[in-house]
mmCIF file of all heavy atoms in Angstrom:
data_model
loop_
_atom_site.group_PDB
_atom_site.id
_atom_site.type_symbol
_atom_site.label_atom_id
_atom_site.label_comp_id
_atom_site.label_asym_id
_atom_site.label_seq_id
_atom_site.Cartn_x
_atom_site.Cartn_y
_atom_site.Cartn_z
ATOM 1 N N LEU R 403 0.900 -1.228 -0.028
ATOM 2 C CA LEU R 403 0.006 0.031 0.014
ATOM 3 C C LEU R 403 0.910 1.172 0.022
ATOM 4 O O LEU R 403 1.885 1.257 0.696
ATOM 5 C CB LEU R 403 -0.875 0.097 1.313
ATOM 6 C CG LEU R 403 -1.833 -1.064 1.406
ATOM 7 C CD1 LEU R 403 -2.625 -0.985 2.832
ATOM 8 C CD2 LEU R 403 -2.876 -1.104 0.355
ATOM 9 N N THR R 404 0.581 2.157 -0.843
ATOM 10 C CA THR R 404 1.270 3.423 -0.762
ATOM 11 C C THR R 404 0.794 4.219 0.373
ATOM 12 O O THR R 404 -0.272 3.995 0.960
ATOM 13 C CB THR R 404 1.079 4.267 -2.039
ATOM 14 O OG1 THR R 404 -0.305 4.711 -2.050
ATOM 15 C CG2 THR R 404 1.416 3.460 -3.307
ATOM 16 N N THR R 405 1.579 5.161 0.849
ATOM 17 C CA THR R 405 1.212 6.093 1.942
ATOM 18 C C THR R 405 -0.142 6.786 1.563
ATOM 19 O O THR R 405 -0.993 6.957 2.494
ATOM 20 C CB THR R 405 2.319 7.121 2.227
ATOM 21 O OG1 THR R 405 3.504 6.413 2.485
ATOM 22 C CG2 THR R 405 1.942 8.009 3.405
ATOM 23 N N ALA R 406 -0.213 7.206 0.313
ATOM 24 C CA ALA R 406 -1.516 7.906 -0.165
ATOM 25 C C ALA R 406 -2.643 6.969 -0.022
ATOM 26 O O ALA R 406 -3.752 7.446 0.412
ATOM 27 C CB ALA R 406 -1.331 8.344 -1.550
ATOM 28 N N GLN R 407 -2.555 5.685 -0.337
ATOM 29 C CA GLN R 407 -3.703 4.757 -0.148
ATOM 30 C C GLN R 407 -4.077 4.591 1.234
ATOM 31 O O GLN R 407 -5.303 4.641 1.641
ATOM 32 C CB GLN R 407 -3.362 3.346 -0.731
ATOM 33 C CG GLN R 407 -3.283 3.429 -2.267
ATOM 34 C CD GLN R 407 -2.665 2.081 -2.768
ATOM 35 O OE1 GLN R 407 -1.707 1.565 -2.228
ATOM 36 N NE2 GLN R 407 -3.188 1.600 -3.837
ATOM 37 N N VAL R 408 -3.094 4.324 2.141
ATOM 38 C CA VAL R 408 -3.431 4.197 3.551
ATOM 39 C C VAL R 408 -4.022 5.506 4.123
ATOM 40 O O VAL R 408 -5.061 5.450 4.854
ATOM 41 C CB VAL R 408 -2.102 3.860 4.334
ATOM 42 C CG1 VAL R 408 -2.453 3.879 5.887
ATOM 43 C CG2 VAL R 408 -1.565 2.545 3.888
ATOM 44 N N ASP R 409 -3.465 6.660 3.721
ATOM 45 C CA ASP R 409 -3.973 7.936 4.192
ATOM 46 C C ASP R 409 -5.450 8.154 3.693
ATOM 47 O O ASP R 409 -6.204 8.628 4.512
ATOM 48 C CB ASP R 409 -3.113 9.117 3.591
ATOM 49 C CG ASP R 409 -3.384 10.352 4.318
ATOM 50 O OD1 ASP R 409 -3.498 10.370 5.552
ATOM 51 O OD2 ASP R 409 -3.509 11.379 3.591
ATOM 52 N N ARG R 410 -5.726 7.793 2.492
ATOM 53 C CA ARG R 410 -7.184 7.937 1.991
ATOM 54 C C ARG R 410 -8.139 7.172 2.849
ATOM 55 O O ARG R 410 -9.171 7.638 3.222
ATOM 56 C CB ARG R 410 -7.254 7.551 0.523
ATOM 57 C CG ARG R 410 -7.433 8.623 -0.389
ATOM 58 C CD ARG R 410 -7.804 8.201 -1.831
ATOM 59 N NE ARG R 410 -7.233 6.888 -2.307
ATOM 60 C CZ ARG R 410 -6.105 6.764 -2.950
ATOM 61 N NH1 ARG R 410 -5.478 7.851 -3.317
ATOM 62 N NH2 ARG R 410 -5.642 5.573 -3.346
ATOM 63 N N VAL R 411 -7.732 5.944 3.163
ATOM 64 C CA VAL R 411 -8.705 5.100 4.001
ATOM 65 C C VAL R 411 -8.866 5.669 5.395
ATOM 66 O O VAL R 411 -10.030 5.738 5.857
ATOM 67 C CB VAL R 411 -8.049 3.596 4.095
ATOM 68 C CG1 VAL R 411 -8.884 2.834 5.108
ATOM 69 C CG2 VAL R 411 -8.110 2.977 2.713
ATOM 70 N N LEU R 412 -7.848 6.059 5.973
ATOM 71 C CA LEU R 412 -7.954 6.632 7.307
ATOM 72 C C LEU R 412 -8.618 7.992 7.409
ATOM 73 O O LEU R 412 -9.395 8.255 8.333
ATOM 74 C CB LEU R 412 -6.518 6.684 8.000
ATOM 75 C CG LEU R 412 -5.929 5.297 8.271
ATOM 76 C CD1 LEU R 412 -4.577 5.488 8.881
ATOM 77 C CD2 LEU R 412 -6.825 4.481 9.215
ATOM 78 N N ARG R 413 -8.314 8.859 6.379
ATOM 79 C CA ARG R 413 -8.919 10.140 6.391
ATOM 80 C C ARG R 413 -10.415 10.086 6.271
ATOM 81 O O ARG R 413 -11.180 10.934 6.834
ATOM 82 C CB ARG R 413 -8.349 10.966 5.260
ATOM 83 C CG ARG R 413 -8.869 12.439 5.322
ATOM 84 C CD ARG R 413 -8.248 13.320 4.185
ATOM 85 N NE ARG R 413 -6.806 13.511 4.556
ATOM 86 C CZ ARG R 413 -5.881 13.338 3.660
ATOM 87 N NH1 ARG R 413 -6.101 12.948 2.436
ATOM 88 N NH2 ARG R 413 -4.622 13.625 4.097
ATOM 89 N N ARG R 414 -10.966 9.130 5.540
ATOM 90 C CA ARG R 414 -12.395 9.055 5.327
ATOM 91 C C ARG R 414 -13.119 9.024 6.599
ATOM 92 O O ARG R 414 -14.238 9.573 6.805
ATOM 93 C CB ARG R 414 -12.625 7.741 4.469
ATOM 94 C CG ARG R 414 -13.874 7.916 3.621
ATOM 95 C CD ARG R 414 -14.034 6.706 2.712
ATOM 96 N NE ARG R 414 -13.104 6.866 1.646
ATOM 97 C CZ ARG R 414 -12.568 5.795 1.020
ATOM 98 N NH1 ARG R 414 -12.791 4.643 1.344
ATOM 99 N NH2 ARG R 414 -11.667 6.008 0.008
ATOM 100 N N ASP R 415 -12.627 8.273 7.590
ATOM 101 C CA ASP R 415 -13.266 8.118 8.876
ATOM 102 C C ASP R 415 -12.744 8.976 10.032
ATOM 103 O O ASP R 415 -13.342 9.175 10.988
ATOM 104 C CB ASP R 415 -13.340 6.619 9.336
ATOM 105 C CG ASP R 415 -14.360 5.895 8.650
ATOM 106 O OD1 ASP R 415 -15.624 6.279 8.686
ATOM 107 O OD2 ASP R 415 -14.074 4.941 7.852
ATOM 108 N N ALA R 416 -11.453 9.293 9.897
ATOM 109 C CA ALA R 416 -10.795 9.990 11.030
ATOM 110 C C ALA R 416 -11.227 11.455 11.086
ATOM 111 O O ALA R 416 -11.426 11.917 12.198
ATOM 112 C CB ALA R 416 -9.304 9.871 10.802
ATOM 113 N N GLY R 417 -11.315 12.056 9.952
ATOM 114 C CA GLY R 417 -11.660 13.494 9.972
ATOM 115 C C GLY R 417 -10.602 14.329 10.657
ATOM 116 O O GLY R 417 -10.814 15.496 10.964
ATOM 117 N N SER R 418 -9.388 13.795 10.897
ATOM 118 C CA SER R 418 -8.429 14.530 11.581
ATOM 119 C C SER R 418 -7.009 14.449 10.909
ATOM 120 O O SER R 418 -6.024 14.459 11.576
ATOM 121 C CB SER R 418 -8.284 14.008 13.033
ATOM 122 O OG SER R 418 -7.870 12.640 12.993
ATOM 123 N N GLY R 419 -7.018 14.296 9.572
ATOM 124 C CA GLY R 419 -5.744 14.314 8.898
ATOM 125 C C GLY R 419 -5.193 12.996 8.596
ATOM 126 O O GLY R 419 -4.073 12.865 8.090
ATOM 127 N N GLY R 420 -5.922 11.879 8.733
ATOM 128 C CA GLY R 420 -5.544 10.592 8.268
ATOM 129 C C GLY R 420 -4.240 10.121 8.940
ATOM 130 O O GLY R 420 -3.947 10.384 10.071
ATOM 131 N N LEU R 421 -3.456 9.359 8.160
ATOM 132 C CA LEU R 421 -2.275 8.790 8.620
ATOM 133 C C LEU R 421 -1.279 9.737 9.256
ATOM 134 O O LEU R 421 -0.688 9.538 10.357
ATOM 135 C CB LEU R 421 -1.538 7.918 7.568
ATOM 136 C CG LEU R 421 -0.353 7.063 8.023
ATOM 137 C CD1 LEU R 421 -0.689 6.105 9.166
ATOM 138 C CD2 LEU R 421 0.182 6.373 6.818
ATOM 139 N N PRO R 422 -1.065 10.884 8.645
ATOM 140 C CA PRO R 422 -0.142 11.930 9.250
ATOM 141 C C PRO R 422 -0.626 12.294 10.687
ATOM 142 O O PRO R 422 0.197 12.464 11.558
ATOM 143 C CB PRO R 422 -0.256 13.060 8.344
ATOM 144 C CG PRO R 422 -0.490 12.503 7.025
ATOM 145 C CD PRO R 422 -1.470 11.375 7.312
ATOM 146 N N GLY R 423 -1.911 12.354 10.933
ATOM 147 C CA GLY R 423 -2.408 12.716 12.220
ATOM 148 C C GLY R 423 -2.178 11.546 13.187
ATOM 149 O O GLY R 423 -1.749 11.817 14.353
ATOM 150 N N LEU R 424 -2.297 10.301 12.764
ATOM 151 C CA LEU R 424 -1.905 9.190 13.654
ATOM 152 C C LEU R 424 -0.425 9.174 13.881
ATOM 153 O O LEU R 424 -0.009 8.876 15.024
ATOM 154 C CB LEU R 424 -2.308 7.926 12.944
ATOM 155 C CG LEU R 424 -3.850 7.608 12.860
ATOM 156 C CD1 LEU R 424 -4.009 6.348 12.057
ATOM 157 C CD2 LEU R 424 -4.378 7.465 14.333
ATOM 158 N N LEU R 425 0.396 9.481 12.876
ATOM 159 C CA LEU R 425 1.833 9.421 13.109
ATOM 160 C C LEU R 425 2.275 10.497 14.069
ATOM 161 O O LEU R 425 3.174 10.334 14.876
ATOM 162 C CB LEU R 425 2.520 9.638 11.790
ATOM 163 C CG LEU R 425 2.369 8.458 10.792
ATOM 164 C CD1 LEU R 425 3.024 8.916 9.450
ATOM 165 C CD2 LEU R 425 3.054 7.217 11.281
ATOM 166 N N ARG R 426 1.593 11.696 13.986
ATOM 167 C CA ARG R 426 1.988 12.796 14.916
ATOM 168 C C ARG R 426 1.635 12.343 16.398
ATOM 169 O O ARG R 426 2.248 12.699 17.260
ATOM 170 C CB ARG R 426 1.181 14.044 14.550
ATOM 171 C CG ARG R 426 1.872 14.843 13.462
ATOM 172 C CD ARG R 426 1.237 16.257 13.360
ATOM 173 N NE ARG R 426 -0.119 16.174 13.067
ATOM 174 C CZ ARG R 426 -0.701 16.071 11.857
ATOM 175 N NH1 ARG R 426 0.037 15.961 10.808
ATOM 176 N NH2 ARG R 426 -2.026 16.053 11.742
ATOM 177 N N GLY R 427 0.586 11.505 16.515
ATOM 178 C CA GLY R 427 0.121 11.106 17.844
ATOM 179 C C GLY R 427 1.014 9.942 18.446
ATOM 180 O O GLY R 427 0.827 9.654 19.568
ATOM 181 N N LEU R 428 1.850 9.413 17.655
ATOM 182 C CA LEU R 428 2.663 8.243 18.198
ATOM 183 C C LEU R 428 3.547 8.647 19.411
ATOM 184 O O LEU R 428 3.799 7.789 20.244
ATOM 185 C CB LEU R 428 3.500 7.587 17.129
ATOM 186 C CG LEU R 428 2.753 6.691 16.162
ATOM 187 C CD1 LEU R 428 3.602 6.186 15.045
ATOM 188 C CD2 LEU R 428 2.059 5.541 16.898
ATOM 189 N N GLY R 429 4.013 9.856 19.375
ATOM 190 C CA GLY R 429 4.856 10.299 20.488
ATOM 191 C C GLY R 429 4.068 10.625 21.755
ATOM 192 O O GLY R 429 4.596 10.787 22.828
ATOM 193 N N ASP R 430 2.758 10.792 21.670
ATOM 194 C CA ASP R 430 1.866 11.200 22.665
ATOM 195 C C ASP R 430 0.838 10.134 22.848
ATOM 196 O O ASP R 430 -0.084 9.962 22.105
ATOM 197 C CB ASP R 430 1.254 12.529 22.373
ATOM 198 C CG ASP R 430 0.198 13.038 23.339
ATOM 199 O OD1 ASP R 430 -0.061 12.390 24.360
ATOM 200 O OD2 ASP R 430 -0.327 14.059 23.136
ATOM 201 N N ARG R 431 1.037 9.276 23.850
ATOM 202 C CA ARG R 431 0.118 8.079 24.110
ATOM 203 C C ARG R 431 -1.284 8.475 24.244
ATOM 204 O O ARG R 431 -2.147 7.878 23.821
ATOM 205 C CB ARG R 431 0.646 7.321 25.302
ATOM 206 C CG ARG R 431 1.887 6.485 24.922
ATOM 207 C CD ARG R 431 2.162 5.482 26.066
ATOM 208 N NE ARG R 431 3.435 4.846 25.672
ATOM 209 C CZ ARG R 431 4.026 4.036 26.471
ATOM 210 N NH1 ARG R 431 3.469 3.752 27.642
ATOM 211 N NH2 ARG R 431 5.120 3.430 26.166
ATOM 212 N N GLU R 432 -1.482 9.612 24.949
ATOM 213 C CA GLU R 432 -2.900 10.035 25.181
ATOM 214 C C GLU R 432 -3.574 10.409 23.933
ATOM 215 O O GLU R 432 -4.674 9.998 23.620
ATOM 216 C CB GLU R 432 -2.944 11.281 26.201
ATOM 217 C CG GLU R 432 -4.336 11.486 26.652
ATOM 218 C CD GLU R 432 -4.321 12.533 27.798
ATOM 219 O OE1 GLU R 432 -3.494 12.356 28.760
ATOM 220 O OE2 GLU R 432 -5.098 13.451 27.738
ATOM 221 N N ALA R 433 -2.878 11.209 23.019
ATOM 222 C CA ALA R 433 -3.407 11.548 21.744
ATOM 223 C C ALA R 433 -3.626 10.342 20.850
ATOM 224 O O ALA R 433 -4.675 10.201 20.206
ATOM 225 C CB ALA R 433 -2.532 12.527 21.060
ATOM 226 N N LEU R 434 -2.727 9.342 20.840
ATOM 227 C CA LEU R 434 -2.803 8.202 20.078
ATOM 228 C C LEU R 434 -4.089 7.374 20.545
ATOM 229 O O LEU R 434 -4.784 6.953 19.714
ATOM 230 C CB LEU R 434 -1.539 7.351 20.169
ATOM 231 C CG LEU R 434 -1.539 5.952 19.447
ATOM 232 C CD1 LEU R 434 -1.781 6.152 18.011
ATOM 233 C CD2 LEU R 434 -0.381 5.256 19.732
ATOM 234 N N SER R 435 -4.125 7.249 21.899
ATOM 235 C CA SER R 435 -5.266 6.451 22.367
ATOM 236 C C SER R 435 -6.578 7.113 22.014
ATOM 237 O O SER R 435 -7.527 6.349 21.721
ATOM 238 C CB SER R 435 -5.105 6.400 23.917
ATOM 239 O OG SER R 435 -6.136 5.675 24.490
ATOM 240 N N SER R 436 -6.671 8.400 22.091
ATOM 241 C CA SER R 436 -7.933 9.123 21.753
ATOM 242 C C SER R 436 -8.246 8.981 20.290
ATOM 243 O O SER R 436 -9.344 8.729 19.888
ATOM 244 C CB SER R 436 -7.705 10.624 22.103
ATOM 245 O OG SER R 436 -8.764 11.348 21.602
ATOM 246 N N THR R 437 -7.216 9.099 19.459
ATOM 247 C CA THR R 437 -7.412 8.923 18.008
ATOM 248 C C THR R 437 -7.810 7.508 17.716
ATOM 249 O O THR R 437 -8.825 7.276 16.946
ATOM 250 C CB THR R 437 -6.168 9.219 17.154
ATOM 251 O OG1 THR R 437 -5.763 10.548 17.513
ATOM 252 C CG2 THR R 437 -6.307 9.083 15.661
ATOM 253 N N TYR R 438 -7.240 6.541 18.337
ATOM 254 C CA TYR R 438 -7.561 5.105 18.037
ATOM 255 C C TYR R 438 -8.938 4.941 18.545
ATOM 256 O O TYR R 438 -9.791 4.202 17.768
ATOM 257 C CB TYR R 438 -6.623 4.192 18.781
ATOM 258 C CG TYR R 438 -7.057 2.807 18.725
ATOM 259 C CD1 TYR R 438 -6.983 2.057 17.559
ATOM 260 C CD2 TYR R 438 -7.608 2.167 19.832
ATOM 261 C CE1 TYR R 438 -7.523 0.749 17.502
ATOM 262 C CE2 TYR R 438 -8.104 0.880 19.786
ATOM 263 C CZ TYR R 438 -8.069 0.194 18.577
ATOM 264 O OH TYR R 438 -8.549 -1.109 18.558
ATOM 265 N N ARG R 439 -9.315 5.332 19.708
ATOM 266 C CA ARG R 439 -10.672 5.151 20.291
ATOM 267 C C ARG R 439 -11.736 5.730 19.281
ATOM 268 O O ARG R 439 -12.752 5.119 18.987
ATOM 269 C CB ARG R 439 -10.857 5.771 21.661
ATOM 270 C CG ARG R 439 -10.598 4.892 22.735
ATOM 271 C CD ARG R 439 -11.144 5.427 24.124
ATOM 272 N NE ARG R 439 -10.728 6.788 24.342
ATOM 273 C CZ ARG R 439 -9.582 7.160 24.855
ATOM 274 N NH1 ARG R 439 -8.695 6.265 25.168
ATOM 275 N NH2 ARG R 439 -9.278 8.440 25.063
ATOM 276 N N ALA R 440 -11.498 6.931 18.773
ATOM 277 C CA ALA R 440 -12.393 7.541 17.862
ATOM 278 C C ALA R 440 -12.612 6.752 16.613
ATOM 279 O O ALA R 440 -13.729 6.509 16.095
ATOM 280 C CB ALA R 440 -12.094 8.995 17.543
ATOM 281 N N LEU R 441 -11.461 6.316 16.076
ATOM 282 C CA LEU R 441 -11.492 5.529 14.756
ATOM 283 C C LEU R 441 -12.208 4.172 15.024
ATOM 284 O O LEU R 441 -12.959 3.698 14.151
ATOM 285 C CB LEU R 441 -10.156 5.349 14.218
ATOM 286 C CG LEU R 441 -9.557 6.545 13.533
ATOM 287 C CD1 LEU R 441 -8.040 6.313 13.211
ATOM 288 C CD2 LEU R 441 -10.332 6.929 12.256
ATOM 289 N N SER R 442 -11.873 3.559 16.148
ATOM 290 C CA SER R 442 -12.354 2.224 16.301
ATOM 291 C C SER R 442 -13.843 2.150 16.552
ATOM 292 O O SER R 442 -14.388 1.048 16.633
ATOM 293 C CB SER R 442 -11.519 1.503 17.500
ATOM 294 O OG SER R 442 -11.839 2.089 18.690
ATOM 295 N N GLN R 443 -14.413 3.233 16.943
ATOM 296 C CA GLN R 443 -15.922 3.335 17.178
ATOM 297 C C GLN R 443 -16.741 3.269 15.890
ATOM 298 O O GLN R 443 -17.871 2.914 15.852
ATOM 299 C CB GLN R 443 -16.234 4.656 17.910
ATOM 300 C CG GLN R 443 -15.640 4.758 19.292
ATOM 301 C CD GLN R 443 -16.039 3.713 20.202
ATOM 302 O OE1 GLN R 443 -17.211 3.308 20.275
ATOM 303 N NE2 GLN R 443 -15.114 3.133 21.018
ATOM 304 N N SER R 444 -16.118 3.545 14.819
ATOM 305 C CA SER R 444 -16.761 3.612 13.522
ATOM 306 C C SER R 444 -17.054 2.179 13.035
ATOM 307 O O SER R 444 -16.219 1.235 13.086
ATOM 308 C CB SER R 444 -15.881 4.233 12.401
ATOM 309 O OG SER R 444 -16.442 4.055 11.149
#
């Protein structure tokens, strides 16, 4: 999968910048956990 393909899939439901948003959250466990919780509810 290209980064663009992964990003498109995640952006559709995340509403918060797709994969780049998730990557930014990797250093911050609370932000990552929040993003994951929001996405996993879909």
Side-chain angles (χ1 to χ4, degrees):
L403 297 175
T404 66
T405 302
Q407 289 170 317
V408 173
D409 193 44
R410 251 192 326 267
V411 170
L412 292 176
R413 184 177 289 131
R414 211 173 284 148
D415 280 304
S418 64
L421 187 57
L424 288 173
L425 292 173
R426 281 192 299 276
L428 284 175
D430 177 356
R431 285 189 184 174
E432 190 171 313
L434 176 63
S435 179
S436 171
T437 302
Y438 171 73
R439 265 195 312 278
L441 284 171
S442 67
Q443 298 297 320
S444 172

